[in-house]
Amino acid sequence: MESLCKLVFAVLLLLVAGLVDETKADGMISGTVYCDRCKDGSLSLFDYPLNGMKVTIACQDNTGQVTTWTEVTTNWFGSYTVRFDGNPDLSRCQAQLSSGNGQGSTADCGAVAGPPQQLRLMFRMFDMEMYTVNSLLSQPAKPMSYCSTSSPSPRPKPAPLVPSPPPPSAPFLEASACPSQNWTMPEYACHWRFVQPDTKVAVAFGLIAARRYGTDMSLREALEGRGDVYRALLREGTAALLNSYNSVMFGYPTANVVYDMNLALMGSQRQALYTAMRFRRSNSGHGTIPCKLNPCN
């Protein structure tokens, strides 16, 4: 029995050592570029992700000198990811839209670049650092015609005799982010939109996911995944998918959830871990966005 315990302990040490070696000395940055169609400096229902936009990542030292500089182009979902080898110091970096945007497919929304954004540390493990960036905004020359550019002067109103009821809320338009365990609770079952607990993972995420997880696993089973990186990726990706269906203000559009999920499944174990942590961070609302699931009647 003692020899068996020693053997198991040795195997665990080898696994941990392999994971440390695999994830050592890397820095990764990810973000998204949106078209701010109303030119109001914030994301709204009318905004959409921009592909083909050039983003500059610049890092400075203590004296203000630029020590690291690179440029990346957004994909079809408006997302970009940059990897730095050698574990550089990314704490003084910022991302901004490059000059020269606003041509070709981005011509209608590349006239004005929004402000640069500082990097935010999302995850650190085994000398691997993962950063995210608040959405970068690109604006057209003029706001769209349906955007409200001015508001009428307020007129005094007589005090009502009885308190006015609050206006009806639109939950789909409210910012909400819920962790995976919330989506497994029966009292929140009515908030599943477009998919159901018995929907197959292969149907929700496509052929690449079917090859990894099979064709019989349901989304309910996916939310209970434990044990390895890929089950954690599926659990957090499923929660992100449900959050994206439930709130248009969730950090990931639905298409981005599916795209990043499949991209992680085609990449290395390190990329799967990175994507799982990004999903988990968004599902937690980055510590500022609450979960607005009300118990079903």
Side-chain angles (χ1 to χ4, degrees):
M1 183 65 181
E2 181 180 357
S3 60
L4 178 60
C5 292
K6 290 181 178 179
L7 178 61
V8 172
F9 181 70
V11 171
L12 289 176
L13 285 179
L14 289 174
L15 290 175
V16 171
L19 181 59
V20 170
D21 181 69
E22 184 182 11
T23 59
K24 186 178 180 181
D26 273 333
M28 299 187 73
I29 302 170
S30 63
T32 310
V33 177
Y34 282 89
C35 176
D36 181 13
R37 306 185 78 183
C38 292
K39 301 193 69 171
D40 56 4
S42 61
L43 291 179
S44 68
L45 184 62
F46 304 112
D47 301 336
Y48 59 90
L50 286 171
N51 73 295
M53 297 294 287
K54 296 180 180 179
V55 177
T56 299
I57 308 294
C59 307
Q60 299 179 346
D61 58 17
N62 294 332
T63 64
Q65 298 294 320
V66 176
T67 58
T68 304
W69 184 95
T70 189
E71 189 175 66
V72 64
T73 303
T74 59
N75 58 27
W76 283 101
F77 298 95
S79 300
Y80 62 91
T81 300
V82 184
R83 173 179 171 179
F84 294 92
D85 295 324
N87 197 22
D89 181 12
L90 302 180
S91 61
R92 298 178 181 271
C93 301
Q94 66 178 13
Q96 62 183 14
L97 292 175
S98 307
S99 59
N101 284 315
Q103 301 177 0
S105 61
T106 64
D108 60 339
C109 198
V112 181
Q117 299 288 345
Q118 296 292 327
L119 273 59
R120 294 185 291 111
L121 180 63
M122 183 181 67
F123 179 79
R124 180 187 285 123
M125 178 181 287
F126 305 130
D127 292 331
M128 179 177 64
E129 294 182 343
M130 303 177 185
Y131 289 82
T132 186
V133 185
N134 289 337
S135 297
L136 296 174
L137 301 179
S138 184
Q139 300 175 338
K142 296 180 180 180
M144 300 295 101
S145 58
Y146 45 73
C147 298
S148 176
T149 57
S150 62
S151 57
S153 301
R155 296 180 179 179
K157 296 181 179 179
L161 297 178
V162 294
S164 300
S169 61
F172 183 66
L173 300 178
E174 296 179 357
S176 176
C178 303
S180 58
Q181 58 266 28
N182 287 44
W183 290 106
T184 64
M185 298 179 181
E187 58 265 35
Y188 299 139
C190 62
H191 296 283
W192 285 61
R193 304 174 188 270
F194 305 108
V195 292
Q196 297 300 319
D198 57 353
T199 299
K200 303 303 181 184
V201 169
V203 173
F205 290 103
L207 181 61
I208 297 174
R211 291 173 179 172
R212 166 65 65 174
Y213 303 108
T215 57
D216 294 329
M217 182 179 292
S218 67
L219 294 182
R220 181 190 292 106
E221 295 172 309
L223 288 170
E224 299 171 352
R226 297 289 189 279
D228 64 25
V229 170
Y230 290 100
R231 289 301 303 270
L233 171 65
L234 180 60
R235 180 186 69 243
E236 299 302 328
T238 300
L241 183 71
L242 295 172
N243 282 320
S244 71
Y245 282 142
N246 190 63
S247 172
V248 73
M249 301 302 293
F250 181 64
Y252 276 90
T254 302
N256 284 38
V257 174
V258 177
Y259 176 83
D260 285 5
M261 180 74 178
N262 283 278
L263 194 64
L265 290 174
M266 292 187 295
S268 64
Q269 188 178 45
R270 174 174 50 196
Q271 186 172 356
L273 173 63
Y274 168 62
T275 304
M277 294 306 301
R278 284 180 60 193
F279 283 151
R280 183 178 179 86
R281 181 72 172 169
S282 294
N283 292 334
S284 68
H286 299 278
T288 59
I289 300 175
C291 176
K292 293 187 178 179
L293 296 182
N294 296 318
C296 307
N297 294 328

